[in-house]
């Protein structure tokens, strides 16, 4: 089995970005800037934000943290509008989920699409659906990049995506089915109402699990030689677990991502890629 090492691949991508950022910063007199907005004290969100800040440091990107113990809807909207106007801010990331009482979609809609490095703004979602340039959601884009780096092309293959979230499942299915490199797959998007999920998965050459249930995908659901990408990360009494039964699958599949160390690092690496692209757009590079 080929272990799809997202941690090592992400480190390579960060090093590549660092070289480009160094050159561009010398040319344009400033470095890319990423504003990271965290509201509340959710422990998991705090960990994610720290990891993103470390990645910025590795890449030479200026991290601009905005940690708010609490905020009203109007206060948070005002901050987003302020960041939209700030010429030194190239990317804006609002860490989700937001605390109860705050309208997440309203906040995401307020972000300037040219600073929407998470790829969640309706403008960028629409551009992605049409196959036009724009910022793509970091997790599915990171998955595609990982497949590219390992020369695993889903073109003309059957792919099953388990999970229909707006953050992972839907955009990943869209990206896999579009014309272009590391795409052109025949995609089935499965979810909780899929009649025979096991049968769908057993026919797939590529299985992408993003359902949020520990060890949901088992060996009897996957055909011999399939490629399995585990997007899930679940906290259990035994520690972190993915959506796939790694031990049960590892001797049956051709390639698979580990949890942790698979898709997670690629998500953050893609955020760095998007931030660099936003910077280049703003400075005219």
């Amino acid at each position: 089995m080929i272990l799809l090492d997202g941690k090592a691949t992400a480190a390579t991508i960060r090093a590549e970005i660092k070289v480009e950022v160094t050159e561009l910063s010398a040319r344009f007199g400033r470095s890319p800037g990423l504003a990271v907005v965290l509201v509340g004290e959710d422990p998991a969100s705090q960990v994610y934000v720290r990891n993103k800040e470390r990645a910025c440091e590795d890449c030479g990107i200026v991290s601009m943290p905005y940690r708010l113990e609490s905020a009203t809807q109007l206060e948070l909207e005002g901050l987003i509008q302020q960041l939209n106007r700030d010429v030194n801010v190239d990317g804006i990331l609002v860490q989700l989920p937001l605390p109860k009482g705050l309208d997440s979609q309203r906040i995401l809609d307020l972000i300037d699409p040219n600073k929407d490095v998470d790829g969640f703004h309706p403008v960028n979602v629409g551009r992605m659906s049409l196959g036009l340039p724009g910022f793509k959601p970091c997790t599915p884009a990171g998955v595609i990049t990982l497949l590219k780096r390992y020369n695993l092309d889903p073109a003309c293959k059957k792919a099953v995506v388990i999970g229909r979230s707006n953050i992972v499942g839907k955009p990943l299915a869209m990206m896999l089915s579009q014309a272009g490199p590391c795409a052109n797959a025949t995609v089935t998007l499965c979810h909780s109402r899929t009649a025979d999920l096991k049968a769908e998965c057993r026919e797939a050459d590529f299985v992408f699990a993003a359902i949020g249930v520990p060890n949901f995908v088992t060996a009897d659901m996957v055909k011999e030689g399939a490629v399995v990408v585990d997007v899930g990360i679940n906290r259990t009494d035994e520690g972190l677990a993915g959506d796939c039964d790694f031990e049960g699958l590892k001797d049956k599949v051709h390639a698979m991502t580990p949890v942790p160390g698979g898709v997670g690092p690629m998500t953050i690496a893609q955020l760095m890629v998007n931030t660099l692209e936003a910077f280049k757009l703003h400075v005219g590079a």
Side-chain angles (χ1 to χ4, degrees), residues 14 75 77 93 146 165 187 281 283:
R14 291 196 305 271
E75 288 170 342
E77 290 180 8
L93 181 149
L146 188 61
S165 73
V187 182
L281 176 67
V283 299

Side-chain angles (χ1 to χ4, degrees), residues 200-223:
E200 296 287 352
C201 291
R202 280 194 291 262
E203 294 181 3
D205 304 295
F206 287 74
V207 175
F208 302 86
I211 196 169
V213 179
N215 300 313
F216 180 84
V217 177
T218 51
D220 63 326
M221 296 174 64
V222 176
K223 75 177 184 180

